[in-house]
Amino acid sequence: MHVVGIDLAGPANHKETAVAVFKKEADSLVLNSLTFHNSDLLILDTVSRLAAEEGQVTVGIDAPLSYQDGGGDRPSDKAVRSKLREAGLYHGSIMPPTMNRMVYLTLRGIHLSRALENYTGSIVEVHPGGAMGLRLKPEDRNLALSYKKSEADRRSLLPFLEQWRMKNISPDAAETSHGLDACAAALAAWHWADAEHEPEICIGAEPPFHPFDFCC
């Protein structure tokens, strides 16, 4: 099984769109590649190639993959935000998908996820900061609050990814938050898809308007 974590940026921002490709080996995920400057076409090419080679590909996308009819929060937004708040984690990044600053990301998330369904039925919306923060002990959760702005704190999170059995992640992954978030997106997707694990939070899909689970 391959697991692909995607830290998505807006449709015109390929530079900051990071894609981490992991392969499951025994009880670990091993990083095969971490790339930036990813267009939708390049992401589709990556996933379609993996599907042709291995068959099973799970994709975790850090972006809204649906929106609420009438605007505002989806039920999943409210539920995940509440869980993160209870844990003392940053929850302000979970914004209504139709909010002005989110709308282009939502548009790309919806477009990409539906295109990816041509190659895999295993797609989940994820929140990388929550995936890391909720797995940290309370005394370490300050790292999940500050890693977006601090490379030193991002590097301090790498040993925890190792503890969570994510292998071969080099220090270069911590140079920007996008690389680290792509790896954490894969962590959340792995625990969602693999029967040997379970996500820290998982809000179930509500088809037809919200066709994907939202998990950390």
Side-chain angles (χ1 to χ4, degrees):
M1 177 176 76
H2 277 95
V3 180
V4 179
I6 303 174
D7 182 49
L8 206 64
N13 190 357
H14 296 170
K15 178 181 178 182
E16 295 182 341
T17 297
V19 175
V21 176
F22 289 83
K23 184 172 183 179
K24 185 180 179 187
E25 295 184 4
D27 59 350
S28 299
L29 281 192
V30 179
L31 182 64
N32 284 356
S33 66
L34 176 59
T35 60
F36 301 86
H37 298 270
N38 284 284
S39 66
D40 291 354
L41 181 59
L42 188 54
I43 294 170
L44 288 173
D45 285 347
T46 298
V47 173
S48 64
R49 173 179 52 80
L50 294 172
E53 291 173 358
E54 298 289 339
Q56 187 176 358
V57 183
T58 293
V59 181
I61 305 176
D62 177 21
L65 304 185
S66 66
Y67 68 89
Q68 186 67 16
D69 189 20
D73 282 330
R74 301 167 294 173
S76 58
D77 297 320
K78 292 180 180 179
V80 174
R81 188 186 298 121
S82 176
K83 293 284 188 182
L84 296 182
R85 185 187 297 116
E86 290 172 8
L89 295 167
Y90 179 64
H91 53 272
S93 60
I94 300 177
M95 293 176 276
T98 51
M99 188 175 178
N100 284 348
R101 63 185 295 186
M102 291 292 290
V103 124
Y104 288 108
L105 179 61
T106 300
L107 179 67
R108 189 179 185 194
I110 291 172
H111 172 77
L112 179 63
S113 59
R114 275 49 169 193
L116 285 169
E117 285 187 299
N118 289 287
Y119 306 105
T120 177
S122 188
I123 300 170
V124 60
E125 182 177 335
V126 298
H127 188 275
M132 291 186 288
L134 290 167
R135 288 171 174 79
L136 292 169
K137 294 179 181 179
E139 60 266 27
D140 296 316
R141 284 182 180 165
N142 62 302
L143 294 173
L145 296 170
S146 57
Y147 80 95
K148 292 282 190 181
K149 297 181 179 180
S150 169
E151 183 175 344
D153 288 345
R154 290 194 292 273
R155 290 182 182 276
S156 294
L157 283 166
L158 295 177
F160 291 101
L161 293 174
E162 181 80 17
Q163 288 178 23
W164 300 326
R165 310 205 68 79
M166 302 190 80
K167 309 295 186 182
N168 202 37
I169 302 176
S170 77
D172 293 347
E175 287 184 357
T176 70
S177 63
H178 307 294
L180 191 64
D181 278 342
C183 293
L187 171 66
W190 175 34
H191 285 194
W192 168 76
D194 195 319
E196 296 177 6
H197 302 277
E198 68 179 58
E200 295 294 316
I201 302 171
C202 193
I203 310 302
E206 294 184 6
F209 294 118
H210 307 300
F212 304 103
D213 292 354
F214 185 1
C215 301
C216 294

